[in-house]
């Protein structure tokens, strides 16, 4: 099967290529704004890579493609703005137009738990969506547009609402931030908020496994799935794991300096302080995350320390 991945040179995309290139003809489109060529270098003899900005017309690249994995976006909740909102919506519109014109059968979209805003914990997929950040807003708008296209044209849609995804090739998020800060200053670690922000963390391998199970087993025209681990951990616990794993280079435990944050200890305005998703819908199809949140964090910390010259 011919599959196309937008944002394939990024963190999740490069892990996805590894899996999809085993059995498929893979096309990757990425403008390398956040992604890195080195992540896809091991696959360049197996895939077709185009350094293209999806803000342009991309119809020709979709010729003969059956399945599109749409990952390209600005992944930062903290830095999201009205500009990133419309930019990522525009990208999604261009991807959907290319799907329509080339009769693509299936689109799989990486959405986020942020569409729920500050909803009840153990959030099910049918919970009300009330995003509190531009990032959550744009994900929900992209979901709506995808749903429109799937209903009007013969496309099957998968909308995956991710918890925090972590692991090999990650270039952003709390783990990357802490390791980077500690490699520059061994004495003190600045932690945004009060350190009690408590969320679900999922290993990227579990994330990809979950999406593939959904793709292979779910039959609805539009399929919405939460994807997270079964528990959560907090930012201070993550800082402690990072320090434990880096202790040989740090020599002694650094001082934690909490910024205090905004709105009762959040890292930034628009942050959701607690997040845990109900993943039973995907579990019923056979999905079981191999790691707890803390195990996923420790594994990701080790991979990040090993893979980067920070
Ligand atoms: N990492 C997480 O915890 C998480 C959680 C929820 C949702 N997501 C979503 O998953 C997707 C992948 O996230 P990631 O963590 O791998 O981020 P990433 O930044 O590593 O990957 C995104 C990729 O999209 C590319 N891109 C961005 N704008 C583009 C454009 N205009 N044209 C072409 N390419 C463009 C970037 O270069 C990058 O390689 C994103 O949609 C993100 O919002 C991620």
């Amino acid at each position: 099967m011919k599959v196309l991945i937008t944002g394939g040179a990024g963190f999740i995309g490069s892990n996805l290529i590894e899996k999809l290139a085993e059995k498929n003809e893979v096309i990757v489109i990425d403008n390398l704004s956040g992604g890195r060529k080195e992540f896809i270098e091991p696959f360049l003899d197996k895939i077709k890579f185009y350094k293209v900005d999806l803000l342009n017309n991309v119809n020709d690249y979709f010729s003969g493609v059956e399945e599109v994995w749409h990952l390209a976006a600005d992944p930062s909740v903290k830095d999201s703005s009205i500009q990133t909102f419309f930019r990522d919506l525009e990208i999604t519109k261009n991807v959907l137009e290319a799907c329509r014109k080339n009769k693509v059968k299936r689109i799989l979209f990486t959405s986020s738990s942020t569409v729920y805003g500050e909803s009840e914990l153990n959030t099910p997929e049918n919970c009300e969506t009330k995003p509190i950040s531009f990032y959550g807003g744009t994900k929900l708008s992209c979901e709506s547009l995808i749903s429109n296209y799937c209903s009007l044209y013969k496309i099957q849609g998968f909308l995956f609402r991710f918890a925090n995804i972590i692991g090999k090739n990650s270039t952003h998020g709390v783990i990357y931030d802490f390791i980077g800060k500690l490699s520059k200053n061994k004495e003190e670690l600045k932690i945004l908020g009060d350190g009690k922000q408590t969320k679900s963390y999922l290993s990227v391998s579990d994330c990809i496994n979950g999406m593939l199970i959904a793709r292979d087993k779910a039959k609805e025209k539009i399929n919405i799935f939460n994807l997270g681990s079964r528990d959560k951990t907090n930012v201070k616990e993550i800082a402690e794991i990072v320090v434990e794993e880096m202790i040989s280079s740090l020599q002694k435990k650094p001082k934690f300096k909490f910024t205090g944050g905004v709105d009762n200890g959040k890292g930034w305005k628009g942050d959701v302080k607690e997040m845990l998703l109900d993943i039973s819908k995907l579990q019923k199809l056979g999905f079981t995350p191999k790691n707890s949140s803390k195990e996923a964090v420790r594994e990701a910390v080790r991979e990040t320390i090993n893979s980067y010259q920070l």
Side-chain angles (χ1 to χ4, degrees):
M1 178 169 53
K2 197 166 173 182
V3 305
L4 185 146
I5 309 174
T6 74
F11 157 47
I12 299 173
S14 55
N15 282 280
L16 183 63
I17 292 177
E18 198 170 349
K19 199 78 191 162
L20 291 182
E22 284 169 9
K23 290 191 187 154
N24 304 282
E25 190 184 335
V26 176
I27 298 167
V28 171
I29 296 185
D30 198 302
N31 66 356
L32 299 182
S33 55
R36 295 186 185 173
K37 189 85 184 281
E38 74 211 51
F39 292 163
I40 55 168
E41 230 126 51
F43 314 110
L44 284 178
D45 56 337
K46 289 195 209 146
I47 64 169
K48 284 203 183 95
F49 170 64
Y50 299 102
K51 183 172 182 260
V52 170
D53 195 315
L54 289 152
L55 286 170
N56 301 307
N57 177 326
V58 286
N59 295 349
D60 291 348
Y61 299 97
F62 286 58
S63 173
V65 168
E66 275 184 54
E67 179 174 285
V68 169
W69 294 76
H70 177 35
L71 278 66
D74 186 330
S76 172
V77 185
K78 182 164 155 280
D79 300 329
S80 63
S81 63
I82 191 67
Q83 284 76 26
T84 60
F85 181 107
F86 282 109
R87 198 198 71 121
D88 287 347
L89 193 55
E90 179 77 15
I91 289 175
T92 303
K93 182 209 81 182
N94 290 344
V95 168
L96 285 164
E97 273 298 281
C99 288
R100 178 180 72 79
K101 292 200 170 122
N102 289 283
K103 300 195 172 11
V104 168
K105 288 193 183 134
R106 194 178 303 122
I107 182 165
L108 303 103
F109 175 63
T110 50
S111 186
S112 155
S113 63
T114 57
V115 299
Y116 298 118
E118 296 175 307
S119 299
E120 64 192 81
L121 283 190
N122 210 17
T123 319
E125 285 87 352
N126 61 6
C127 183
E128 266 187 88
T129 45
K130 291 184 279 190
I132 61 165
S133 61
F134 284 110
Y135 179 85
T138 198
K139 286 297 184 197
L140 189 56
S141 304
C142 291
E143 284 193 9
S144 300
L145 200 57
I146 292 168
S147 175
N148 288 172
Y149 270 74
C150 291
S151 299
L152 294 173
Y153 311 107
K154 283 186 179 155
I155 309 173
Q156 188 190 23
F158 290 81
L159 310 172
F160 296 111
R161 294 175 175 166
F162 290 169
N164 290 308
I165 310 302
I166 53 176
K168 190 177 88 181
N169 294 352
S170 177
T171 51
H172 51 86
V174 62
I175 293 172
Y176 190 79
D177 180 45
F178 285 170
I179 294 173
K181 281 178 179 162
L182 283 172
S183 63
K184 290 191 192 101
N185 179 359
K186 294 182 174 21
E187 307 294 319
E188 181 182 279
L189 177 63
K190 187 170 144 192
I191 298 175
L192 298 183
D194 62 6
K196 294 179 188 153
Q197 307 93 306
T198 309
K199 303 181 193 184
S200 160
Y201 290 80
L202 184 72
S203 295
V204 67
S205 52
D206 276 333
C207 169
I208 287 165
N209 183 29
M211 290 195 289
L212 289 171
I213 289 173
R215 181 202 62 180
D216 292 342
K217 297 201 173 159
K219 300 285 176 233
E220 302 294 316
K221 184 119 186 115
I222 296 149
N223 303 278
I224 303 181
F225 286 102
N226 287 338
L227 248 169
S229 56
R230 283 162 293 190
D231 61 359
K232 49 192 168 65
T233 186
N234 71 40
V235 167
K236 182 163 177 279
E237 285 168 336
I238 294 173
E240 275 156 5
I241 293 173
V242 171
V243 168
E244 277 167 34
E245 294 296 328
M246 289 182 79
I247 200 67
S248 57
S249 66
L250 297 172
Q251 286 158 5
K252 69 175 173 68
K253 200 178 166 211
K255 193 169 166 274
F256 289 168
K257 187 180 172 198
F258 298 95
T259 65
V262 295
D263 300 345
N264 195 24
K266 292 176 177 180
W268 56 84
K269 222 172 165 47
D271 188 18
V272 172
K273 192 143 186 217
E274 277 196 89
M275 178 265 289
L276 180 67
L277 299 171
D278 177 353
I279 56 164
S280 55
K281 186 175 170 194
L282 195 51
Q283 281 179 308
K284 281 181 197 139
L285 296 187
F287 172 63
T288 314
K290 71 175 190 312
N291 284 332
S292 67
S293 284
K294 272 193 179 177
E295 286 164 348
V297 167
R298 193 171 294 280
E299 196 177 276
V301 169
R302 287 180 183 165
E303 272 158 352
T304 307
I305 292 170
N306 284 341
S307 25
Y308 295 123
Q309 298 284 314
L310 286 154

